[in-house]
Amino acid sequence: MPKVTIDGKEIEVPAGMNLIEAAKLAGASVPHYCYHPKLSIAGNCRICLVEIEKQPKLQIACNTKVAEGMVVRTTGPKVEEGRQSVLEFILVNHPIDCPVCDQAGECKLQQYYMQLDRKPSRMEEEKVQKDKAVKLGPNVMLDMERCILCSRCIRFCQEVAHQDELCFTQRGDHTELTTYPGRELKNPYSVNTVDICPVGALTSVDFRFKQRVWFLKTADTVCPGCSTGCNVRLWHNKGAAYRLTPRENEAVNQVWMCDEGRLTYKPVNAENRLRHPVVKRDGRNGKMRRDLAVAELKRSLEGVSGNAILGIGSAQFTNEANQAFLGFLKDILGVKDFVYHANEVANPSHDVFLISADKNPNRAGVEALGFKPLAEDRRYQVFFALGPLPFSKIQKIAFEKNRKVILLTTHEVPEIEYADFVFPTAAWAEDEGTYTNRQNRVQNIAPAFPPPGESLRVGQWMEEFDKAWRPALKGMTA
């Protein structure tokens, strides 16, 4: 590997690496707009200027590869003057509307201006005015005046999404980003263009003007939308989720995620979240306090043999939730038969990149725990399940006389009308544990905020049930 000296530090770097990446290995940071490590080199923003010994002019670091004995300076008066000139040129026609820009707080233009320049504009001519709030497609909005023409979004569509939807038109300072005639930006990965836009030109239709980013906190978790298990960051504030953005994992999703997966946070905020246990009495469902509901459940299962109970896990819940559920039913209730249900979608979206036709984050995990796929089986007296059972199945079960249905679920959906007991559980954004993806890779999810009302994680419900049942079991063994 060639040896190079960057800011006085000699390091060995892989042959063929460019100077932006080499500088990272030396602990230095080179500003850049058009460069993205997962896209081809464009070299059109020119902000990544560095000084290379024995070369008369500054060079762009993104398109300069390391060479043996190269001596590079990423800072210094000459470098800073060059970058300031580039920045001033980029800002000539920029509206400088940071107070009303949705990208404020995570904008590279704003960040580098504060780091490198901080001088008032010398522009005296009227700025070129362009279209604002242009809807490029169902999920992405464009503010053309803020665009610095870095071309990251165009290259993403061509090289990653493989759908050539964006282009530049016109010339000089009238150049504009747009879609091809008759086309929209609507590939399944279109919102990644918002993530990689270094300024406020491209914004997400779903997220824009919902929340200032400096109010948001983040939790590292895994997308529950399908069995790929893309690593994501959940952005939230005051118990509400606002957006999902991809988190780098080269082995699973690189640095991307699909548009479909980005919307999986919405059910967490839904109005119909369950907040209290629901118990059926005299044929009608009613709310009940947590301890009373547990005691009522225990009374209703007295005298029921474990052979008469079917435990139904879920491919939507974590390994830990299914394990705790299985442990309580097997050890305390003596249940012997376990199956699982999954989210089965007719004509599911899928491709060869990230989108899986299996819309369950943990099918591999629940099968590894020994659960079998749910099938028609009418031999049982009690059906104890994680998540809402499919409507057709729960309706058939409930119409059978003297059968009981017990659910641990997150939302007040029509299916719970057929249940005798419903215990509210934490949604995936409020839960902790692991999912096993389609590669059999076990990945951690972290809770962003507590579940609402009297909702508990499945493991906590099993502890509550265990406390209620244990005294009776001790009495039997004394």
Side-chain angles (χ1 to χ4, degrees):
M1 294 196 294
K3 285 184 179 178
V4 297
T5 302
I6 299 178
D7 295 339
K9 185 176 181 180
E10 185 178 85
I11 58 169
E12 285 189 353
V13 297
M17 178 175 277
N18 69 36
L19 290 180
I20 289 182
E21 297 299 330
K24 289 180 188 174
L25 297 179
S29 176
V30 177
H32 54 275
Y33 294 120
C34 67
Y35 172 71
H36 190 285
K38 295 294 182 185
L39 302 176
S40 60
I41 303 291
N44 59 8
C45 79
R46 320 303 286 182
I47 195 73
C48 61
L49 293 172
V50 295
E51 188 175 5
I52 301 174
E53 200 169 88
K54 299 179 182 177
Q55 295 204 16
K57 295 182 179 179
L58 297 175
Q59 302 295 317
I60 54 172
C62 67
N63 203 27
T64 305
K65 294 180 179 176
V66 295
E68 180 65 32
M70 182 180 274
V71 178
V72 181
R73 283 183 284 277
T74 67
T75 59
K78 189 175 179 180
V79 170
E80 290 173 9
E81 185 182 354
R83 290 176 185 169
Q84 286 170 354
S85 297
V86 170
L87 195 56
E88 185 176 25
F89 184 71
I90 290 174
L91 288 169
V92 162
N93 284 302
H94 193 277
I96 321 289
D97 58 348
C98 301
V100 298
C101 177
D102 207 41
Q103 189 81 357
E106 53 185 1
C107 172
K108 290 293 183 185
L109 196 57
Q110 188 181 45
Q111 178 187 336
Y112 293 153
Y113 172 77
M114 298 304 289
Q115 289 177 357
L116 302 172
D117 199 13
R118 305 186 73 168
K119 294 176 183 173
S121 173
R122 293 184 294 165
M123 180 71 172
E124 296 181 349
E125 303 297 324
E126 186 176 347
K127 295 190 176 189
V128 175
Q129 295 184 346
K130 298 178 181 175
D131 292 336
K132 302 179 80 70
V134 179
K135 199 165 184 181
L136 294 180
N139 299 313
V140 180
M141 194 76 83
L142 167 68
D143 185 316
M144 194 56 242
E145 288 186 344
R146 295 177 189 153
C147 179
I148 62 170
L149 307 174
C150 71
S151 79
R152 276 185 177 188
C153 53
I154 294 176
R155 284 175 282 145
F156 171 83
C157 290
Q158 293 171 340
E159 298 166 13
V160 180
H162 301 293
Q163 295 192 29
D164 198 2
E165 297 170 322
L166 296 174
C167 63
F168 289 139
T169 60
Q170 311 301 330
R171 290 186 176 183
D173 58 7
H174 285 70
T175 303
E176 294 187 352
L177 174 70
T178 185
T179 54
Y180 285 107
R183 300 195 67 173
E184 285 186 307
L185 176 61
K186 61 177 183 180
N187 69 69
Y189 299 92
S190 67
V191 186
N192 289 283
T193 60
V194 175
D195 296 335
I196 61 175
C197 178
V199 297
L202 298 179
T203 50
S204 162
V205 170
D206 178 60
F207 177 69
R208 69 197 310 260
F209 304 125
K210 297 284 175 58
Q211 190 84 181
R212 284 297 196 183
V213 293
W214 50 82
F215 292 133
L216 295 175
K217 297 171 275 295
T218 61
D220 290 348
T221 186
V222 172
C223 175
C226 75
S227 61
T228 301
C230 289
N231 290 214
V232 298
R233 192 159 284 125
L234 174 65
W235 299 70
H236 62 96
N237 186 26
K238 296 181 179 177
Y242 283 91
R243 67 175 177 179
L244 291 175
T245 55
R247 187 162 52 89
E248 183 172 1
N249 186 331
E250 192 63 34
V252 179
N253 56 297
Q254 299 177 23
V255 295
W256 317 114
M257 70 179 295
C258 69
D259 294 354
E260 186 180 316
R262 287 177 193 268
L263 301 181
T264 53
Y265 78 86
K266 286 186 176 289
V268 177
N269 301 336
E271 292 289 325
N272 65 339
R273 284 296 304 276
L274 276 168
R275 287 172 168 77
H276 305 278
V278 176
V279 177
K280 182 170 285 181
R281 279 182 162 179
D282 301 325
R284 302 184 66 177
N285 284 346
K287 294 177 184 175
M288 187 175 281
R289 217 172 64 197
R290 179 193 300 168
D291 55 339
L292 297 179
V294 173
E296 184 72 19
L297 173 66
K298 181 174 177 297
R299 274 195 295 276
S300 75
L301 293 182
E302 284 176 354
V304 178
S305 164
N307 292 329
I309 302 173
L310 178 65
I312 306 173
S314 172
Q316 293 281 315
F317 282 70
T318 63
N319 290 317
E320 288 71 16
N322 281 288
Q323 179 66 65
F325 174 76
L326 184 146
F328 171 74
L329 266 66
K330 184 181 285 186
D331 298 341
I332 306 299
L333 300 183
V335 177
K336 293 183 173 56
D337 296 335
F338 291 90
V339 296
Y340 76 90
H341 69 98
N343 180 25
E344 305 294 352
V345 179
N347 302 316
S349 57
H350 66 283
D351 62 19
V352 296
F353 185 31
L354 297 179
I355 303 173
S356 168
D358 178 11
K359 302 304 178 186
N360 297 278
N362 198 35
R363 190 189 293 269
V366 74
E367 289 185 350
L369 287 171
F371 290 85
K372 307 295 181 189
L374 179 62
E376 288 292 334
D377 197 327
R378 304 166 69 87
R379 292 181 295 129
Y380 302 94
Q381 182 182 346
V382 175
F383 295 80
F384 210 139
L386 291 185
L389 294 172
F391 193 86
S392 58
K393 291 189 185 300
I394 195 170
Q395 198 177 35
K396 285 181 185 175
I397 292 168
F399 283 156
E400 293 289 326
K401 195 174 180 181
N402 295 327
R403 287 191 165 184
K404 289 191 186 309
V405 177
I406 303 151
L407 302 179
L408 289 95
T409 189
T410 54
H411 290 75
E412 193 169 353
V413 292
E415 287 86 341
I416 73 168
E417 286 294 320
Y418 297 98
D420 297 278
F421 292 87
V422 183
F423 294 93
T425 60
W428 66 275
E430 302 143 358
D431 207 354
E432 63 182 342
T434 57
Y435 290 144
T436 304
N437 76 353
R438 60 181 176 177
Q439 303 167 309
N440 286 320
R441 186 179 297 272
V442 179
Q443 304 188 105
N444 290 315
I445 66 168
F449 39 79
E454 291 195 287
S455 300
L456 294 175
R457 294 173 186 137
V458 171
Q460 292 172 315
W461 275 121
M462 295 305 125
E463 288 174 6
E464 293 287 318
F465 296 160
D466 193 82
K467 285 178 195 171
W469 260 265
R470 285 285 177 191
L473 292 177
K474 282 182 182 176
M476 291 171 63
T477 55

